[in-house]
Amino acid sequence: MSENKIIKAIKDKGKTLEAEMSFFDHLEALRGHLIRASIAIVVFTAVVFYYYDWIFETIILGPSKSTFWTYRMLCKLGVALHRDGFCVSNVKIHLINTELAGQFTLQINSALIIGITLGVPYLIWEIWRFIKPALHDKERKAATGFVFYACLLFFLGVLFGYYVITPMSINFLSGYTVSAAIENLIDTDSYLSSVATLTLATGIVFQLPILVYILANLGIMTPKFMKETRRYAIVVILIIAAVVTPTPDMLTMTVVSIPLFVLYEVSIIVAGLVEKRKIKKEEELDKA
């Protein structure tokens, strides 16, 4: 009896050791993927650092200039519609540096942020390479195009955030005052933080269909739930659009809010497709 217990204990210990080894093997594999992604981000950061003068003047400071693409397009739209208030002739922003090493850290931080943004597709690809071996054939087939769609949505979000949300927010906030006695002098760190946050946050928000796809597969999110909460989503989207638009004009708010509405509706469609696939799979199992 005692010998059986010893043999059982040895077997259980062997299984535990095997599981621990498997865990550390996966951890080691994940470390390799993250290291390669980090190297890619460092390379992108170095390239940005090398061409920093042009990038800073054209890209980072772009939304602070009245010649920015978005302001020019808004002005043309106002002329075409014979409406006033669309043209932004002057962005009232005055950047200052209040720290000794402020401009140096500004260059480092901004180069790193842009490097991370450019490195996101490679990071997603490395994460996919890590997850893929653990998936079954059907799961791999269902997730076909994951990297492409995730990267596409991310960069669409970044572009929307940079060309729509960021310039409108900067124009509104830089000119907003509670008293004429207070002059807006914007610190460079605050400006960079605002541009980076608005741009990257929008890129992340545009991952909503991917997130819904994952949650729907886990049974957490359903198209019924999303349809029932649509009215709350509409209110949130309209509030965001009202905050970032430079004028209270309904047309400008619509320009901002439409892509967000479309994104939510696409997410409902994605959840519906996942649900239909699940129902079809269950019917096939019942027939078998």
Side-chain angles (χ1 to χ4, degrees), residues 47-267:
V47 173
V48 172
F49 198 86
Y50 183 78
Y51 294 102
Y52 189 77
D53 290 342
W54 179 85
I55 289 172
F56 183 75
E57 291 293 332
T58 308
I59 298 176
I60 298 175
L61 289 183
S64 68
K65 300 176 181 179
S66 59
T67 55
F68 190 59
W69 182 85
T70 304
Y71 302 137
R72 289 188 282 112
M73 292 302 106
L74 280 173
C75 194
K76 288 182 179 180
L77 180 62
V79 172
L81 298 174
H82 305 287
R83 302 287 293 273
D84 296 327
F86 279 77
C87 291
V88 178
S89 58
N90 182 32
V91 182
K92 299 176 182 178
I93 186 167
H94 301 282
L95 296 177
I96 61 169
N97 173 45
T98 58
E99 297 179 6
L100 180 63
Q103 297 202 41
F104 177 72
T105 55
L106 171 68
Q107 184 171 356
I108 296 294
N109 292 337
S110 54
L112 181 59
I113 290 169
I114 297 175
I116 292 172
T117 304
L118 295 175
V120 163
Y122 188 78
L123 175 61
I124 294 173
W125 184 64
E126 285 290 352
I127 292 173
W128 170 246
R129 286 182 61 196
F130 173 72
I131 297 172
K132 189 176 179 180
L135 301 177
H136 298 295
D137 290 337
K138 288 185 178 180
E139 291 172 333
R140 291 181 188 178
K141 187 177 179 180
T144 300
F146 166 77
V147 175
F148 172 76
Y149 289 115
C151 295
L152 177 64
L153 287 170
F154 176 76
F155 279 116
L156 284 175
V158 166
L159 291 173
F160 181 70
Y162 179 73
Y163 282 105
V164 180
I165 304 293
T166 298
M168 290 184 173
S169 299
I170 287 175
N171 182 56
F172 171 75
L173 295 174
S174 63
Y176 185 85
T177 57
V178 294
S179 172
I182 303 174
E183 184 180 359
N184 285 336
L185 299 175
I186 314 300
D187 186 72
T188 52
D189 285 341
S190 176
Y191 175 81
L192 176 64
S193 176
S194 298
V195 173
T197 301
L198 291 169
T199 302
L200 292 177
T202 311
I204 294 170
V205 168
F206 267 57
Q207 296 297 305
L208 181 62
I210 301 295
L211 178 62
V212 168
Y213 177 82
I214 295 170
L215 294 177
N217 274 289
L218 295 174
I220 299 173
M221 188 70 70
T222 63
K224 182 182 177 182
F225 173 78
M226 294 190 71
K227 288 176 182 178
E228 289 175 350
T229 57
R230 182 189 275 124
R231 59 183 180 274
Y232 302 111
I234 290 172
V235 172
V236 172
I237 290 171
L238 288 175
I239 290 172
I240 294 171
V243 170
V244 302
T245 48
T247 67
D249 193 281
M250 192 62 191
L251 182 61
T252 312
M253 286 176 58
T254 304
V255 171
V256 175
S257 59
I258 282 178
L260 301 180
F261 285 134
V262 171
L263 195 67
Y264 192 83
E265 293 301 321
V266 168
S267 299

